[in-house]
Amino acid sequence: MWKKECVAMILAGGQGSRLGVLTKGNAKPGVPFGGKFRIIDFVLSNCKRSGIDTVGVLTQYKPLVLNKYLANGSPWDLDGYHGGMYILPPYMTEHGGSWYQGTADAIYQNIDYLEQYQPEYVLILSGKHIYNMDYSEMVEDHKKQGADITIAVIEVPWEEASRFGVMKTDAAGKVTGFEEKPKDPSSNLASMGIYVFTYQVLRSFLIDDSQDKVSDHDFGKNVIPKMLKAGKKLYAHTFDGYWKDVGTIESYYEANMDLLDRKHASALFLEENKVYSNNKFLPPHYVGPSGKVQNSIVADGSKIFGSVKNSIVFSGATVGEGVHLEDCILLPNAVIESKVTLKKVIFTEDSVLNEEDPIAERLTDYVRKHSSENEVSIIDENRFFSSKTDGKGFVNLKELLDIG
């Protein structure tokens, strides 16, 4: 194998349980986003633009859809002979095996993959975030500081800081304190889950952590605090662009809606910040004579015969005549043909609401009564979910509306 200066490892095996029904058949990084993309497209595109051509994608939970989408990595120029993209699931050895037990354990189980390239640096990324970043700048900062680990950080509102690993730094950016999801945070400088490690240091701490029987084998909970305690050089790399962790239904909905704001859309899709995807080569979208579209994203292969306002209509979706959608998301191949008026609803992938469906007549009133300004509704196969239950608790619409 050819020696590489930097190898990227993308953690893409999470279930995303807080996304509820949106991940019922798919890992979180494979969830559709923004009309024609999937969440993982952003981190893969960042790698391409940063000149990182060797990427391991660590999968675990329901990987079929994601594996099929990633294919050989060619949409992101990650199909080269000397490097490219490798899908890395858990595996068995002559000594046994196990599922990935945590973020650090996932990398530890793939030390053999890293060893073949003998990298100077390892870039560890999450496949669940929406942002654009040039990782090469972060790697250069790491080199200049002579750091053992460099952590990408972003300032978050104080009321959200307890959701993240937060740190304190000195004037030079050296990390002096780190807390993983504290109840009472002392800082609002949050870790973005993006790390550059000097490989030999990483390797040593991963081996040590693997032998710790009380460890959760997690970077934020275990490895980084141990490195800080051991006096290793930890530095922060501050990021001031758009970044969104789409770990909940609300944040997923908000990130999609952000794309309708020119400021956020420009930050993500400027010419130099192209986002690449595995396109299906569908025909252009079609807006019929009765169709109206206002401030919306309408993707390839979709058909609009009704009214769409401030909404995102994904590839292959259909909005029938007499349908009125506002602040809605129609995931791929969703079909609404009944004359309904819906606001702040996510209609799941491949779901169908036919014109003759008996629930259609009363659905508009039901959604209006059971939705609020801070709540997103999800409709999936005649089931109604609320974002307040993380898309888990649901009601059967036919039964609720007394329809047999």
Side-chain angles (χ1 to χ4, degrees):
M1 285 288 184
W2 287 53
K3 180 177 173 62
K4 295 288 182 178
E5 181 184 37
C6 183
V7 173
M9 302 288 273
I10 301 175
L11 299 166
Q15 176 181 351
S17 58
R18 290 181 297 165
L19 285 175
V21 69
L22 299 182
T23 54
K24 65 179 180 180
N26 195 357
K28 187 193 300 184
V31 171
F33 180 85
K36 61 183 296 184
F37 304 99
R38 292 184 185 268
I39 293 171
I40 200 170
D41 284 331
F42 291 84
V43 65
L44 288 171
S45 298
N46 289 340
C47 287
K48 169 183 166 56
R49 294 194 310 271
S50 302
I52 296 171
D53 63 0
T54 306
V55 177
V57 181
L58 287 68
T59 62
Q60 180 160 276
Y61 172 80
K62 292 191 176 179
L64 181 61
V65 173
L66 183 60
N67 289 352
K68 182 179 179 181
Y69 181 75
L70 296 174
N72 67 348
S74 60
W76 307 275
D77 280 352
L78 291 173
D79 57 344
Y81 182 75
H82 300 298
M85 181 180 70
Y86 287 79
I87 295 174
L88 303 171
Y91 59 90
M92 299 292 291
T93 71
E94 65 274 18
H95 305 296
S98 68
W99 296 111
Y100 295 146
Q101 301 301 308
T103 54
D105 179 65
I107 304 299
Y108 170 73
Q109 288 198 39
N110 287 285
I111 280 182
D112 287 347
Y113 169 76
L114 293 170
E115 286 287 293
Q116 64 186 338
Y117 295 109
Q118 283 298 302
E120 296 293 327
Y121 310 105
V122 175
L123 175 65
I124 296 177
L125 306 164
S126 171
K128 63 175 184 177
H129 299 147
I130 306 297
Y131 67 107
N132 275 321
M133 179 187 284
D134 185 346
Y135 301 135
S136 65
E137 295 177 358
M138 186 174 172
V139 174
E140 285 302 311
D141 278 356
H142 182 85
K143 293 186 206 175
K144 290 177 183 177
Q145 299 284 10
D148 295 308
I149 174 178
T150 299
I151 305 170
V153 298
I154 189 169
E155 286 191 11
V156 298
W158 278 96
E159 61 271 19
E160 296 181 16
S162 60
R163 293 175 46 213
F164 302 94
V166 295
M167 62 203 71
K168 292 182 177 180
T169 61
D170 63 17
K174 188 174 183 179
V175 177
T176 58
F178 184 90
E179 299 174 288
E180 178 67 6
K181 298 180 180 178
K183 291 183 178 180
D184 298 307
S186 58
S187 168
N188 68 333
L189 200 59
S191 168
M192 298 169 64
I194 302 169
Y195 314 118
V196 177
F197 282 92
T198 298
Y199 175 56
Q200 291 303 325
V201 176
L202 171 66
R203 185 179 185 277
S204 173
F205 273 85
L206 288 179
I207 292 172
D208 178 70
D209 180 73
S210 72
Q211 298 168 355
D212 185 347
K213 294 183 179 180
V214 298
S215 174
D216 291 317
H217 308 299
D218 183 84
F219 281 111
K221 290 181 181 178
N222 308 110
V223 175
I224 294 175
K226 286 179 182 177
M227 292 182 70
L228 188 62
K229 186 176 181 180
K232 294 299 179 180
K233 296 179 181 178
L234 282 69
Y235 280 86
H237 175 85
T238 303
F239 180 72
D240 60 1
Y242 180 90
W243 178 81
K244 197 83 167 182
D245 181 344
V246 287
T248 65
I249 289 172
E250 286 93 343
S251 62
Y252 173 80
Y253 177 83
E254 289 168 3
N256 274 279
M257 292 294 107
D258 282 346
L259 300 183
L260 303 178
D261 182 303
R262 187 176 297 274
K263 176 185 175 182
H264 296 315
S266 296
L268 288 170
F269 298 109
L270 283 174
E271 185 65 25
E272 63 270 23
N273 290 337
K274 286 184 178 178
V275 180
Y276 300 85
S277 66
N278 191 346
N279 288 325
K280 295 182 178 179
F281 299 104
L282 296 171
H285 67 262
Y286 174 73
V287 181
S290 58
K292 295 180 181 179
V293 177
Q294 181 180 347
N295 190 42
S296 298
I297 294 174
V298 180
D300 298 348
S302 57
K303 301 175 184 178
I304 310 295
F305 300 97
S307 172
V308 176
K309 180 180 179 182
N310 298 329
S311 297
I312 298 180
V313 180
F314 280 69
S315 301
T318 299
V319 179
E321 188 172 352
V323 176
H324 297 276
L325 302 180
E326 184 175 354
D327 304 328
C328 289
I329 298 173
L330 262 67
L331 293 178
N333 304 312
V335 177
I336 304 179
E337 293 179 333
S338 58
K339 294 177 173 59
V340 293
T341 298
L342 301 176
K343 184 179 176 66
K344 290 195 75 171
V345 171
I346 299 174
F347 210 77
T348 61
E349 192 167 358
D350 297 319
S351 291
V352 177
L353 188 62
N354 290 319
E355 189 170 1
E356 64 274 12
D357 197 314
I359 72 169
E361 184 178 345
R362 298 168 62 185
L363 182 59
T364 296
D365 288 338
Y366 183 82
V367 171
R368 185 186 297 118
K369 290 177 182 177
H370 292 81
S371 295
S372 67
E373 197 66 29
N374 299 315
E375 188 174 0
V376 181
S377 303
I378 305 166
I379 296 177
D380 171 69
E381 299 175 350
N382 287 326
R383 295 182 298 173
F384 178 92
F385 297 81
S386 164
S387 62
K388 295 301 182 185
T389 62
D390 285 334
K392 295 174 184 175
F394 68 91
V395 294
N396 186 303
L397 286 172
K398 288 187 176 181
E399 291 179 2
L400 194 69
L401 302 177
D402 297 322
I403 296 169

